[in-house]
Amino acid sequence: MTARLVAAARWLLFKALGAVFVLWAVTTLIFFGIRMIPGDPAEAILGGPGSQASAEALAQVRADYGLDEPLLVQYFMQLGRLLQGDLGDSYSMQVPVSSLLAEQLPPTLVLAFLALVLAWVVALALASWSMLSGRGAAVISSGLEIAGAAVPHFWLATVLIVVFSVNLGWLPPVNTGGVDGLVLPVVTLALPLAGFLGQVMRESMLNAATSPFALSARFRGETERGVLFRHSLRHAAIPGIALSGWAFGSLISGAVVVETIFARPGLGRTLLRAVTDRDIPLVTGVALVAALAYVVVMALSDIAERLADPRVAKR
């Protein structure tokens, strides 16, 4: 028991240190990367280049926000504020970044979570169908998975809007605030991910179907359907569970495109606007929240993988 507690404590410490490193790396990359974009942050604070701010006003803003300090000094000043939990105020909107994130985070999390669930359902359905319906089904499902994994979000979103909004009129092309406005964005995010997960799980199912426990189950009189759903499926799901953290991260990044196309509120549209406006505090806040969500989901997927396969905890 003591050995298990020590191993669990070591694992938690490793995850915590990894999370700190990821957040520091994201902060550093965003800080220096956004300063490579042409333009003056002081102008963004005063309303952009079209504001025609005077030189005195620009100098005052630089002094107020510490933008007249050397770059490394600004970097360590920002790190100090972040360590105190202060994300600062948005340059372009003049409101606290924390309040903006609290407003924009839930729609993105809902979109990503529903897309992940749908991707799992589609991937499991395709993989199971290919295993139970013969070689023809395997070829068709493999083709669908490859096509789904390769299709870009913007192209898929455009096709779905043309088919289901313009031609059929079944679903709205933009956000309506209701469930119907969620369908096309969720499908757009889910189908490419389902293609990737489906390939991984189908390969795992093929390996599980020829393993000793599956052969033993067949020897006891178990049907192929019983072998699949009672024995192989759990083992085949383990690689998919391990990839769910990465998958959630890809969904968060894909939300930038999807939220923009479907005019949905969320972190994606907020990040795009912040980068365009050189809104450094808002860009940093969005990136940190997205990175933190990714770290949390990765930890949860690790826990789920350990519960599904106790051998993982012994490595």
Side-chain angles (χ1 to χ4, degrees):
M1 186 67 178
T2 303
R4 289 186 178 180
L5 289 176
V6 171
R10 188 184 299 115
W11 181 80
L12 289 174
L13 178 62
F14 175 78
K15 288 296 179 182
L17 292 176
V20 171
F21 175 79
V22 168
L23 295 178
W24 168 79
V26 168
T27 301
T28 302
L29 290 174
I30 290 297
F31 180 86
F32 290 104
I34 200 170
R35 278 162 174 76
M36 298 176 65
I37 301 175
D40 187 352
E43 287 186 345
I45 297 172
L46 291 174
S51 64
Q52 298 181 347
S54 64
E56 292 79 9
L58 289 172
Q60 184 62 49
V61 167
R62 293 190 187 101
D64 292 341
Y65 285 85
L67 298 175
D68 55 350
E69 299 286 349
L71 193 59
L72 281 178
V73 174
Q74 295 181 43
Y75 170 69
F76 286 111
M77 288 171 58
Q78 177 161 313
L79 285 183
R81 289 192 296 268
L82 291 176
L83 288 174
Q84 297 173 14
D86 180 13
L87 296 175
D89 294 338
S90 167
Y91 288 169
S92 58
M93 302 183 191
Q94 300 297 314
V95 295
V97 171
S98 56
S99 64
L100 286 173
L101 296 179
E103 179 182 347
Q104 300 298 325
L105 179 60
T108 298
L109 290 181
V110 169
L111 179 63
F113 176 75
L114 292 177
L116 184 60
V117 172
L118 179 59
W120 262 93
V121 171
V122 173
L124 285 173
L126 282 176
S128 301
W129 178 59
S130 67
M131 291 294 296
L132 295 174
S133 301
R135 183 171 179 80
V139 172
I140 294 173
S141 63
S142 178
L144 291 175
E145 289 161 359
I146 293 172
V151 67
H153 288 122
F154 70 88
W155 184 86
L156 180 58
T158 303
V159 171
L160 292 176
I161 289 173
V162 170
V163 173
F164 293 100
S165 298
V166 177
N167 293 336
L168 298 177
W170 291 353
L171 296 166
V174 296
N175 176 54
T176 61
V179 176
D180 56 347
L182 263 173
V183 175
L184 293 184
V186 168
V187 173
T188 301
L189 275 178
L191 289 186
L193 179 59
F196 183 80
L197 288 177
Q199 293 178 70
V200 173
M201 284 189 277
R202 185 161 53 83
E203 186 67 26
S204 298
M205 284 183 179
L206 288 173
N207 293 333
T210 58
S211 61
F213 68 84
L215 297 176
S216 175
R218 292 190 187 95
F219 182 76
R220 295 193 303 268
E222 188 72 81
T223 63
E224 287 299 321
R225 186 179 297 273
V227 170
L228 174 64
F229 291 109
R230 292 196 183 100
H231 303 280
S232 300
L233 192 58
R234 176 182 173 182
H235 294 266
I238 291 174
I241 293 173
L243 288 171
S244 291
W246 166 86
F248 192 83
S250 71
L251 292 175
I252 294 292
S253 62
V256 176
V257 175
V258 172
E259 289 175 354
T260 301
I261 293 175
F262 291 100
R264 283 189 53 80
L267 292 181
R269 290 185 69 193
T270 302
L271 178 61
L272 183 62
R273 175 178 176 179
V275 171
T276 303
D277 295 340
R278 289 180 57 89
D279 194 332
I280 298 170
L282 187 53
V283 172
T284 304
V286 172
L288 285 175
V289 168
L292 184 60
Y294 172 76
V295 169
V296 170
V297 173
M298 281 292 292
L300 293 176
S301 65
D302 284 349
I303 293 172
E305 185 182 7
R306 286 166 174 253
L307 293 176
D309 186 1
R311 294 173 299 176
V312 175
K314 299 179 181 179
R315 293 175 185 173

